[in-house]
């Protein structure tokens, strides 16, 4: 097997340098991963909130392998094995009406924007500062961060950004020509920013008043991450469209949108060669089965993190944890990795932890000790 330096040599010569990275992960089991040189880590990145059932959960591995032996791909020209079953499951756990699949979070955003446009006949969107919705041309248009969006403007979408949390500002820009408002219920890439419930309630009211579609991006917060299937389920607000991806299939690429009654694509309005294929649907179905069992424990585990890291004022909702660290964040990330803990820095110097939902109490305690050791000298 290759060593880390062999990975590095090939990467530097042949792969476009869009990422900065130093570790080569070659194996995973539960909350643990191993690098190419045999070093063990507890993984609080989990593929960026993707490997929610832990790495290589036996039920997920079995579902993918069994399906691979039967049929890997067939096209949406035909009924697809497991597609209806996972659609039913997602509709049930989200309280929505119908589902549609994609291959990623960005494509789920694109689908939601298209659905809002085609059913309202309107063109304008409103999104929020520091929001992240993906990097395709459509989803990037409603992603705020100027550094990643502006080099590619004009992106073919009429949109306005409003300060995250500012309902009054929102009221000023939404009108009868607004197709939709897209929002993360907790901002993930921005560093785990949790708004007051009144913000999401305010968006709902504005949508009800103007006919704009309320699109809630739960790509990162969904599928049990915050202790409920959706972060929105911590509030009383029912969105019109919810997008999902990251944690949906334990690392098999998949995205989805689920929408309320009356909001659906009609013949030929949307589609995809790969989306909702047999392997993805089998992986997602196995994943939801595992999440169902571990979901009751997620909030308690989050509280264990919150107690352990209290002196650093963490923002915690289930197993989505952010700590404002500042400029030193990359140093902290590196120090934790040296001590066998993977964490990462989201925007603006915010340390982010999104471990597998299966993480054990003993693993949480070990992570807390290492982070405390790394943060203490810098922040206290
Ligand atoms: C990661 C993310 C996306 C984009 O998902 P991809 O699968 O990378 O395209 C969209 N929205 C949110 C909130 C995300 O965290």
């Amino acid at each position: 097997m290759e060593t880390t330096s062999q990975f590095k040599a090939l990467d530097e010569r042949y792969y476009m340098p869009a990422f900065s990275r130093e570790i080569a992960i070659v194996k995973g089991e539960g909350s643990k991963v191993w690098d190419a040189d045999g070093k063990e880590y507890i993984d609080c990145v989990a593929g960026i909130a993707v490997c929610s059932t832990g790495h290589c959960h036996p039920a997920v591995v079995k579902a993918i392998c069994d399906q691979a032996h039967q049929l890997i791909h067939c096209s949406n020209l035909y009924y697809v094995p497991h597609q209806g079953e996972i659609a039913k499951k997602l509709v049930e756990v989200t309280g929505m009406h119908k589902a549609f699949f994609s291959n990623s979070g960005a494509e789920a955003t694109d689908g939601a924007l298209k659905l809002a446009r085609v059913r309202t006949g309107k063109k304008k969107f409103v999104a929020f500062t520091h929001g992240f919705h993906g990097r395709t041309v459509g989803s990037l248009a409603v992603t705020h961060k100027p550094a990643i969006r502006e080099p590619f403007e004009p992106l073919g979408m009429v949109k306005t950004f409003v300060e995250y949390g500012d309902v009054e500002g929102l009221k000023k820009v939404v009108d009868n020509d607004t197709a939709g408002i897209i929002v993360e219920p907790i901002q993930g890439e921005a560093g785990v920013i949790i708004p007051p419930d009144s913000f999401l309630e305010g968006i709902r009211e504005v949508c009800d008043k103007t006919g704009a579609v309320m699109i809630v991006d739960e790509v990162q917060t969904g599928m049990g991450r915050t202790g409920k299937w959706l972060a929105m389920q911590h509030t009383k607000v029912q969105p019109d469209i919810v997008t999902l991806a990251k944690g949906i299939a334990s690392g098999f690429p998949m995205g989805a949108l689920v929408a309320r009654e009356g909001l659906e694509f009609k013949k030929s309005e949307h589609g995809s060669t790969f989306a909702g294929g047999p392997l993805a649907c089998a992986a997602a179905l196995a994943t939801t089965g595992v999440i169902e069992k571990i979901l009751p424990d997620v909030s308690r585990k989050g509280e264990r993190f919150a107690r352990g890291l209290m002196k650093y004022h963490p923002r915690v909702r289930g197993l989505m944890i952010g700590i404002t660290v500042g400029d030193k964040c990359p140093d902290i990330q590196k120090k934790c990795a040296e001590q066998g803990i993977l964490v990462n820095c989201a925007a603006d110097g915010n340390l982010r932890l999104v471990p597998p939902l299966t993480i054990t109490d003993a693993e949480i305690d070990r992570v807390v000790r290492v982070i405390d050791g790394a943060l203490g000298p810098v922040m206290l």
Side-chain angles (χ1 to χ4, degrees):
M1 204 177 315
E2 295 164 279
T3 61
T4 301
S5 54
Q6 287 169 316
F7 271 95
K8 187 171 166 164
L10 280 173
D11 188 82
E12 280 179 358
R13 168 58 187 87
Y14 294 107
Y15 205 70
M16 298 187 188
F19 304 103
S20 65
R21 49 193 176 190
E22 280 168 22
I23 298 171
I25 297 173
V26 295
K27 184 177 158 60
E29 187 185 331
S31 301
K32 298 204 174 101
V33 292
W34 289 266
D35 73 17
D37 304 326
K39 186 175 166 66
E40 181 182 297
Y41 304 85
I42 298 177
D43 185 7
C44 291
V45 177
I48 314 186
V50 167
C51 309
S52 295
T53 59
H55 291 277
C56 304
H57 191 288
V60 177
V61 172
K62 182 172 190 311
I64 292 172
C65 291
D66 286 354
Q67 185 55 48
H69 284 294
Q70 288 295 319
L71 182 71
I72 292 176
H73 179 74
C74 61
S75 163
N76 285 306
L77 294 171
Y78 310 98
Y79 295 118
V80 177
H82 304 305
Q83 198 180 74
E85 292 160 79
I86 183 62
K88 175 171 188 275
K89 189 78 211 174
L90 293 180
V91 162
E92 284 170 359
V93 299
T94 60
M96 303 301 273
H97 188 65
K98 282 189 181 179
F100 200 81
F101 295 120
S102 65
N103 302 292
S104 66
E107 279 181 76
T109 302
D110 286 354
L113 298 175
K114 283 180 69 177
L115 183 54
R117 277 191 63 167
V118 76
R119 289 288 78 82
T120 62
K122 301 171 185 176
K123 289 191 175 60
K124 289 181 3 186
F125 286 93
V126 178
F128 295 94
T129 52
H130 309 289
F132 184 88
H133 302 292
R135 290 173 181 267
T136 58
V137 171
S139 61
L140 187 58
V142 290
T143 288
H144 176 251
K145 196 175 186 178
I148 65 169
R149 175 175 44 82
E150 281 177 354
F152 304 99
E153 293 280 8
L155 295 155
M157 200 68 70
V158 186
K159 83 282 181 169
T160 312
F161 294 102
V162 170
E163 193 72 32
Y164 191 66
D166 181 7
V167 178
E168 291 313 308
L170 186 66
K171 286 179 183 161
K172 289 193 193 112
V173 304
V174 177
D175 59 28
N176 292 330
D177 297 324
T178 305
I181 300 172
I182 183 163
V183 64
E184 291 166 87
I186 296 171
Q187 289 188 324
E189 294 311 292
V192 188
I193 309 302
I194 307 175
D197 286 357
S198 59
F199 174 51
L200 298 162
E201 288 159 7
I203 296 174
R204 182 69 269 174
E205 272 170 40
V206 170
C207 286
D208 289 342
K209 203 170 275 175
T210 59
V213 173
M214 182 174 182
I215 303 167
V216 175
D217 181 341
E218 295 241 20
V219 165
Q220 190 160 155
T221 53
M223 302 307 291
R225 173 56 51 192
T226 69
K228 294 185 185 282
W229 284 102
L230 300 179
M232 287 307 287
Q233 291 168 341
H234 293 281
T235 75
K236 293 194 174 65
V237 178
Q238 188 69 10
D240 298 310
I241 302 175
V242 171
T243 57
L244 298 164
K246 291 191 166 85
I248 199 172
S250 299
F252 201 95
M254 188 186 205
L257 59 86
V258 286
R260 67 159 165 78
E261 194 164 5
L263 273 178
E264 58 187 43
F265 286 118
K266 301 192 188 306
K267 207 179 256 309
S268 307
E269 282 178 346
H270 196 36
S272 164
T273 299
F274 293 118
L279 288 180
C281 291
L285 205 53
T287 298
T288 52
V290 174
I291 292 174
E292 216 148 38
K293 295 201 195 91
I294 56 184
L295 194 55
D297 243 10
V298 170
S299 294
R300 187 191 59 74
K301 289 178 184 177
E303 282 155 23
R304 196 175 182 96
F305 269 111
R307 267 198 312 280
L309 297 168
M310 196 160 53
K311 55 188 157 193
Y312 306 108
H313 311 291
R315 299 177 295 278
V316 180
R317 187 61 67 80
L319 284 170
M320 190 165 181
I321 299 150
I323 304 173
T324 301
V325 171
D327 295 349
K328 293 257 160 57
C329 201
D331 295 343
I332 300 292
Q333 179 183 316
K334 201 161 170 212
K335 211 161 167 188
C336 288
E338 281 164 12
Q339 306 277 320
I341 305 293
L342 297 181
V343 294
N344 96 309
C345 297
D348 303 323
N350 285 305
L351 197 70
R352 173 178 49 184
L353 280 71
V354 280
L357 307 183
T358 52
I359 192 167
T360 65
D361 287 355
E363 287 166 337
I364 293 173
D365 294 347
R366 163 115 196 277
V367 170
V368 164
R369 269 200 307 279
V370 169
I371 292 181
D372 191 22
L375 283 183
V378 179
M379 289 181 68
L380 296 178

